[in-house]
Amino acid sequence: MTDHPVTGLDEVVHQRVRLGILAIAHEARRVEFGYLRTSLDLTAGNLSKHLSVLEAAGLIEIEKGYEGRRGRTWITLTPTGTTALNDEIGRLKVLIARVETAAGQS
């Protein structure tokens, strides 16, 4: 018997906020901190903690700089982050297919 699809889910990636960060960063290629905070309805402190986890795992890069006189923080997905996101989405697709197949048999 093979492992259930949920056993392969990555705890770092799968957490709701972090999955959202990775998905938005993938779509945008480079995303600003404020946009992430607003899009995911988070406090700055909460978002910072999640970004720290993703950065420590090597899934994102954080770049600080200025746009005019305002300090800005930009987030980009690393190649490792892209792979991790794609792997997670693949596992979720397998899980969804399995649930839908079981539902069709009921």
Side-chain angles (χ1 to χ4, degrees):
M1 181 170 161
T2 60
D3 290 338
H4 194 276
V6 298
T7 62
L9 295 175
D10 183 325
E11 293 295 325
V12 172
V13 175
H14 190 73
Q15 195 281 340
R16 179 187 67 82
V17 170
R18 292 191 290 264
L19 184 59
I21 292 167
L22 294 174
I24 292 169
H26 177 71
E27 293 168 4
R29 303 289 183 234
R30 182 178 188 230
V31 64
E32 202 268 327
F33 183 93
Y35 180 82
L36 280 175
R37 187 177 48 75
T38 302
S39 296
L40 298 171
D41 193 26
L42 300 170
T43 65
N46 193 337
L47 177 56
S48 290
K49 288 178 184 176
H50 287 291
L51 291 174
S52 293
V53 170
L54 293 171
E55 184 179 35
L59 304 180
I60 62 166
E61 290 179 349
I62 297 174
E63 173 191 350
K64 295 187 182 267
Y66 287 90
E67 189 174 275
R69 294 177 183 248
R70 296 187 63 186
R72 297 281 188 203
T73 302
W74 293 277
I75 293 87
T76 54
L77 213 51
T78 65
T80 302
T82 299
T83 299
L85 178 62
N86 288 337
D87 288 350
E88 193 73 7
I89 297 299
R91 286 186 200 98
L92 289 170
K93 286 178 179 178
V94 170
L95 179 61
I96 291 166
R98 188 168 168 157
V99 169
E100 287 176 341
T101 299
Q105 295 173 359
S106 300

